[in-house]
């Protein structure tokens, strides 16, 4: 996951290059925060997910190479049909003309250490720390500006977590996810939740496409406001190709009813057995949103690391 450090050392010190960093994402973004791509005049190193999003980022990266080393800008991209994404959301990118004279920090960079970045008027100052706390950035609202400081864990791999439902439990899961090794993609169909940071509002007739767009190593937690929508999402998740985890909020009775309906709808026993319902580690019985959230996330932390 820290391959970009090699590109910085071997490429950016030898020729003009622009670094494209995903600062934050929302919805079904192809890559999450911390993903990077290095762009030179005629070569690419890495990817931020391909498609139109990457094409536009490359254009911006090569344009910034016309400016002096150290220059940077933040670009926001709404995800939609024009960028080949059906589930909405946003991606916020940091694009910088790498200054070879400001790469002393590479000598200290190592897996699991903290990289602290400070945005200044003419460059991005970085240093490596063992004590800083990671910063969670937003893909919406005011863009990062001069004077902002943020930190990230070098080399940390975050499992995509597709969360369906923005009610009390969904909000608790999202809140507790922030310091954990998950990349949250959060969806709801109700416009009343569009003001919550991180939630992508998707029409009900398109939300199963979000399931289809999820990567194979994603974990899914389904806890919408409607049993019919829960079933629609559960069926789509179990019917698609490999996925790391499919969890459904509910009781053993709900599990039995869904299993019977899935069988009538033609899903194989192997597919049905991939459903986890109820969610959460065994022995945790509290019904409070935070209790459910912590139990569910603890269960996901038990999955083999991607």
């Amino acid at each position: 996951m820290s391959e970009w450090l090699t590109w910085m050392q071997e490429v950016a010190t030898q020729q003009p290059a622009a670094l494209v960093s995903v600062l934050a994402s929302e919805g079904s973004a192809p890559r999450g925060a911390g993903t990077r791509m290095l762009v030179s005049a005629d070569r690419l190193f890495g990817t931020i997910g391909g498609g139109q999003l990457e094409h536009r980022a490359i254009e911006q990266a090569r344009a910034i190479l016309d400016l002096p080393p150290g220059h940077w800008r933040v670009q926001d991209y709404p995800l939609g049909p024009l960028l080949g994404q059906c589930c909405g959301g946003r991606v916020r990118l940091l694009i910088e003309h790498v200054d070879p004279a400001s790469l002393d920090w590479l000598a200290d960079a190592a897996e699991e250490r903290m990289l602290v970045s400070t945005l200044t008027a003419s460059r991005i100052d970085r240093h490596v720390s063992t004590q800083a706390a990671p910063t969670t950035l937003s893909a919406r609202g005011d863009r990062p500006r001069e004077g902002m400081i943020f930190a990230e864990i070098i080399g940390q791999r975050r499992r995509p977590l597709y969360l369906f439902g923005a009610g009390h439990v969904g909000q608790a899961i999202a809140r507790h996810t922030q310091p954990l090794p998950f990349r949250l993609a959060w969806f709801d169909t109700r416009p009343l939740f569009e003001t919550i940071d991180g939630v992508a509002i998707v029409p009900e007739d398109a939300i199963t496409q979000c399931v289809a767009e999820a990567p194979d190593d994603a974990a899914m937690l389904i806890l919408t406001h409607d049993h019919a929508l829960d079933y629609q999402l559960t069926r789509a998740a179990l019917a698609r190709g490999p996925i790391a985890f499919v969890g459904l909020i509910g009781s053993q009775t709900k599990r039995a009813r869904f299993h019977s309906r899935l069988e009538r709808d033609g899903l194989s026993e192997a597919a049905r057995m991939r459903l986890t319902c109820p969610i959460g580690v065994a022995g945790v019985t509290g019904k409070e949103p935070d209790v459910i959230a912590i139990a569910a996330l603890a269960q996901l932390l038990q999955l083999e690391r991607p």
Side-chain angles (χ1 to χ4, degrees):
M1 287 300 294
S2 53
E3 186 181 19
W4 69 279
L5 299 175
T6 302
W7 308 332
M8 297 285 277
Q9 184 67 56
E10 297 181 356
V11 180
T13 57
Q14 304 301 316
Q15 60 181 291
L19 184 66
V20 179
S21 305
V22 179
L23 288 180
S25 64
E26 181 176 291
S28 186
R31 295 290 189 275
T35 304
R36 286 181 167 88
M37 174 175 66
L38 192 71
V39 180
S40 69
D42 57 0
R43 297 185 64 188
L44 303 175
F45 302 85
T47 177
I48 59 167
Q52 283 297 310
L53 172 63
E54 182 164 298
H55 176 71
R56 297 189 183 189
I58 293 168
E59 287 182 337
Q60 291 293 323
R62 288 186 169 141
I64 210 169
L65 290 177
D66 293 331
L67 301 176
H71 273 68
W72 57 271
R73 62 172 60 117
V74 176
Q75 295 286 142
D76 288 341
Y77 293 94
L79 299 177
L82 290 178
L83 291 182
Q85 295 288 319
C86 297
C87 290
R90 304 169 177 84
V91 171
R92 176 164 283 174
L93 301 179
L94 173 65
I95 302 171
E96 59 185 287
H97 185 170
V98 179
D99 183 358
S102 64
L103 296 180
D104 293 347
W105 58 271
L106 282 172
D108 299 320
E111 297 282 337
E112 304 302 326
R113 289 193 177 185
M114 301 298 304
L115 180 63
V116 181
S117 302
T118 302
L119 304 180
T120 75
S122 59
R123 66 182 185 274
I124 301 176
D125 288 332
R126 292 188 171 95
H127 70 273
V128 175
S129 169
T130 58
Q131 298 181 350
T135 307
T136 301
L137 300 178
S138 175
R140 65 172 76 182
D142 293 340
R143 296 178 183 179
R145 62 188 65 185
E146 180 183 345
M148 183 175 185
I149 301 173
F150 57 91
E152 61 186 292
I153 302 175
I154 299 174
Q156 186 179 51
R157 175 70 171 91
R158 293 179 176 268
R159 181 185 297 280
L161 171 55
Y162 276 54
L163 175 62
F164 294 92
H168 294 303
V169 175
Q171 292 176 41
I173 290 173
R175 183 167 60 251
H176 291 291
T177 295
Q178 292 184 5
L180 300 178
F182 298 108
R183 172 167 66 87
L184 183 65
W186 192 9
F187 308 95
D188 205 291
T189 60
R190 296 167 288 178
L192 67 96
F193 290 116
E194 64 185 355
T195 59
I196 297 179
D197 192 10
V199 179
I201 304 301
V202 183
E204 189 168 327
D205 60 1
I207 198 165
T208 56
Q209 182 61 33
C210 302
V211 175
E213 291 178 0
D216 293 349
D217 63 341
M220 289 190 182
L221 293 177
I222 300 168
L223 37 108
T224 79
H225 61 291
D226 181 72
H227 276 230
L229 185 56
D230 279 352
Y231 180 78
Q232 183 182 357
L233 290 165
T234 299
R235 186 179 185 279
L238 297 176
R240 57 157 280 170
I243 198 164
F245 183 89
V246 180
L248 170 68
I249 197 168
S251 62
Q252 291 290 349
T253 299
K254 183 175 181 179
R255 181 180 187 275
R257 289 175 177 170
F258 273 44
H259 266 258
S260 295
R261 188 173 174 186
L262 291 165
E263 184 176 12
R264 291 196 302 271
D265 283 350
L267 267 72
S268 67
E269 182 178 5
R272 300 195 305 272
M273 293 304 295
R274 291 169 46 224
L275 175 63
T276 297
C277 179
I279 54 174
V281 292
V284 179
T285 59
K287 301 301 182 183
E288 299 84 356
D290 286 299
V291 172
I292 297 172
I294 292 170
L297 291 170
Q299 186 175 40
L300 297 184
L301 289 171
Q302 293 176 334
L303 298 174
E304 184 178 350
R305 293 188 67 176

